[in-house]
Amino acid sequence: MKIGRAEFWTAFFTGALAGATLYALFYARAQINAAHDEAQVQHLLTLEQQYEQEPLVTYRKHLAEKRLKGEVEPDELYNVLDFFETIGNLVDRGYLNESDIWDNFSYPVLNLNADAGNIIRDYQREDPAAYIGFISLVDKMEKIESDHHGALAHPSKDDILEFYRGKLSVGAGARIKLRGHPSTHSKKE
């Protein structure tokens, strides 16, 4: 069967159009993925800044002071838990990368959970939907911590006290403490 000149050019340009369309789709997908990754980084930087500034700095400091004095359920606990509830919800919806959150927030998340887990569970008996974002975040942080053979997944009482002692000196602009003291915890791999 002989293909005529017109049919050849029609087939050629149809193939070229299909190839250009596929290229455009792959390019658009790459651009969307890059924009998503950039948005995740921007969300993370915003959350880090929020954690390091007022009013969270004051909430964290007052929470530490009150917990170290033995107050069981200070109001500031809920301010800090609400912050991490938001992060948990953003991770669950794919707006934040859970490994990035682990790198930046696992230390406070896991210590807060170890300290306030019973309070949260009691609160959930009245309202099962309460702090499900935080609990989901804790589960993810514990899994990643375990996968990296880290030692923060189950802090001891001394670890929790050290965590709160470290919050006594925080001020606006203070960097997030990413891990516990290296002599008491294994290093991240």
Side-chain angles (χ1 to χ4, degrees):
M1 173 179 231
K2 189 175 179 184
I3 299 178
R5 190 169 240 207
E7 289 90 11
F8 170 79
W9 287 112
T10 300
F12 175 79
F13 285 114
T14 301
L17 181 60
T21 302
L22 283 174
Y23 174 78
L25 288 173
F26 283 113
Y27 182 76
R29 182 174 184 222
Q31 293 295 92
I32 289 169
N33 287 339
H36 178 73
D37 292 346
E38 184 178 331
Q40 285 186 331
V41 170
Q42 289 304 315
H43 287 308
L44 179 64
L45 293 173
T46 300
L47 289 168
E48 283 180 349
Q49 184 178 28
Q50 186 178 356
Y51 189 75
E52 296 167 359
Q53 301 297 323
E54 294 297 341
L56 272 167
V57 168
T58 299
Y59 295 150
R60 292 167 38 219
K61 186 174 184 175
H62 289 169
L63 171 61
E65 290 168 349
K66 291 176 180 181
R67 288 298 291 134
L68 289 169
K69 289 179 182 174
E71 190 173 325
V72 176
E73 203 170 330
D75 291 338
E76 292 83 1
L77 173 64
Y78 296 102
N79 299 118
V80 177
L81 286 174
D82 289 346
F83 173 77
F84 288 116
E85 172 77 0
T86 299
I87 289 178
N89 289 331
L90 291 170
V91 168
D92 287 344
R93 290 182 179 103
Y95 293 117
L96 294 169
N97 179 291
E98 63 189 49
S99 291
D100 291 341
I101 296 301
W102 172 76
D103 280 338
N104 290 284
F105 293 109
S106 64
Y107 182 65
V109 166
L110 295 173
N111 276 284
L112 282 169
N113 181 62
D115 183 48
N118 290 334
I119 294 169
I120 294 168
R121 283 185 283 286
D122 289 344
Y123 196 79
Q124 285 181 323
R125 285 190 191 109
E126 296 172 26
D127 181 5
Y131 293 111
I132 57 175
F134 178 76
I135 296 301
S136 174
L137 182 62
V138 168
D139 292 343
K140 288 173 176 64
M141 298 300 97
E142 286 176 343
K143 181 178 181 337
I144 295 170
E145 187 72 14
S146 175
D147 290 348
H148 286 80
H149 308 291
L152 296 179
H154 304 289
S156 68
K157 289 184 182 194
D158 288 338
D159 293 333
I160 296 167
L161 290 174
E162 183 61 32
F163 165 73
Y164 283 129
R165 283 187 201 110
K167 300 295 174 233
L168 294 176
S169 61
V170 297
R175 295 296 304 153
I176 299 169
K177 184 175 181 182
L178 301 180
R179 306 292 291 170
H181 189 273
S183 67
T184 59
H185 301 294
S186 65
K187 293 181 181 177
K188 286 192 291 187
E189 295 180 345

